[in-house]
Amino acid sequence: MPRTALIAAMNEELAALLPAIEGARVEPRGGREFWLGRLAGHEVVAVRSGIGKVAAAVTATLLLDHFRADRVLFLGVAGGIGTAVQVGDVVVADALLQHDMDASPLFPRHEVPLTGLSRFPVDAGFSDAVARGAAAALAEHGETAALLGHGCRVHRGLIVSGDRFVATVGESRALRALLPDALAVEMEGAAVAQVCHAFGTPLAVVRSISDRADDTAHVDFGEFLHRVAAPLGLAIVQHALAAA
Ligand code: SAH
């Protein structure tokens, strides 16, 4: 049975998921707590990475090299950047890019030096299962999300990551101008994608949209995180694992 790694950056994003793990055994390593057990009939190892690209990369490396995960699912909240992406929607990545990587003029902007890549891939089949899971989860929890926003659609496309909470209209507009196909912005996904690419391990990234990365992002973010992120996160993972 393949072992699926489940990663989220913050406690709130895992609050419903960790107690749902059957036969959970907690193993500390590298300043993190890795929860091993079973969920929706699958062997899982779940962990809170902490916020930002370095925290996420360390965590992903431990999951792959020490805990021998066979595939990785990153879940959490993100800011909506795409014009059609609303609070309450879900974005499943079809590629991930580090928007704050810039070694130009030595390398093209956004390219991770010496990898030849700016857009890191995800596993198409696993991401399909996660998107189906997200649609099923929204059908159950859309009402809660709709209380806070308007959306409950599932989008597929580019997710961009950087070590910045994007919380002004100016900054999200600048990101959109530079990367017109970006749907969502967050702080971990592309780092995990780089690690998974190095190990050749399948990855999917799913983000529920907590804010529009604009001047009210900090308010929307907090409310969504506390009211919606936990139940929606668990439902997405349960449906995704059942479909995978
Ligand atoms: N002080 C805040 C820090 C949150 S950082 C707190 O803990 O309350 C934002 C987290 O949510 C990151 O893990 C990131 O991946 C995601 N995120 C949500 N909206 C975002 C946005 N607009 N810009 C960047 N990251 C965002």
Side-chain angles (χ1 to χ4, degrees):
M1 148 120 18
R3 176 179 281 183
T4 306
L6 305 169
I7 321 178
M10 294 175 285
N11 279 331
E12 292 87 342
E13 294 164 322
L14 287 173
L17 197 151
L18 295 181
I21 295 177
E22 297 151 32
R25 173 169 68 80
V26 179
E27 202 177 310
R29 194 165 191 94
R32 283 134 176 87
E33 286 187 344
F34 294 83
W35 291 58
L36 298 125
R38 292 175 69 83
L39 189 65
H42 287 256
E43 197 183 322
V44 297
V45 49
V47 60
R48 176 172 62 90
S49 60
I51 295 168
K53 292 187 300 174
V54 174
V58 168
T59 308
T61 305
L62 288 170
L63 282 165
L64 300 183
D65 202 42
H66 181 75
F67 290 95
R68 303 284 167 195
D70 299 295
R71 59 183 183 181
V72 175
L73 173 56
F74 196 104
L75 67 139
V77 300
I81 289 283
T83 43
V85 179
Q86 301 295 329
V87 172
D89 284 355
V90 170
V91 177
V92 177
D94 66 11
L96 296 114
L97 170 149
Q98 297 175 32
H99 69 77
D100 56 354
M101 173 59 76
D102 187 0
S104 60
L106 302 175
F107 296 90
R109 188 160 186 186
H110 300 138
E111 184 170 308
V112 177
L114 309 180
T115 66
L117 286 177
S118 55
R119 293 172 184 237
F120 284 83
V122 295
D123 184 80
F126 189 27
S127 300
D128 284 348
V130 170
R132 285 196 299 276
L138 277 179
E140 285 170 7
H141 290 271
E143 222 171 88
T144 332
L147 284 178
L148 306 172
H150 337 271
C152 61
R153 285 178 56 198
V154 179
H155 307 263
R156 297 285 288 272
L158 179 67
I159 295 183
V160 299
S161 315
D163 285 320
R164 250 188 348 254
F165 183 64
V166 178
T168 63
V169 167
E171 200 177 342
S172 59
R173 198 177 283 150
L175 271 179
R176 228 176 353 258
L178 205 56
L179 297 159
D181 60 334
L183 297 184
V185 61
E186 36 88 316
M187 301 176 68
E188 299 86 16
V192 174
Q194 187 178 337
V195 174
C196 286
H197 184 258
F199 280 80
T201 305
L203 168 72
V205 176
V206 60
R207 294 281 187 169
S208 45
I209 299 303
S210 55
D211 56 81
R212 280 284 306 162
D214 58 11
D215 300 342
T216 61
H218 60 292
V219 180
D220 300 336
F221 166 84
E223 206 180 350
F224 192 91
L225 191 65
H226 291 112
R227 291 175 58 186
V228 186
L232 192 58
L234 172 62
I236 290 173
V237 170
Q238 280 176 324
H239 284 290
L241 289 179

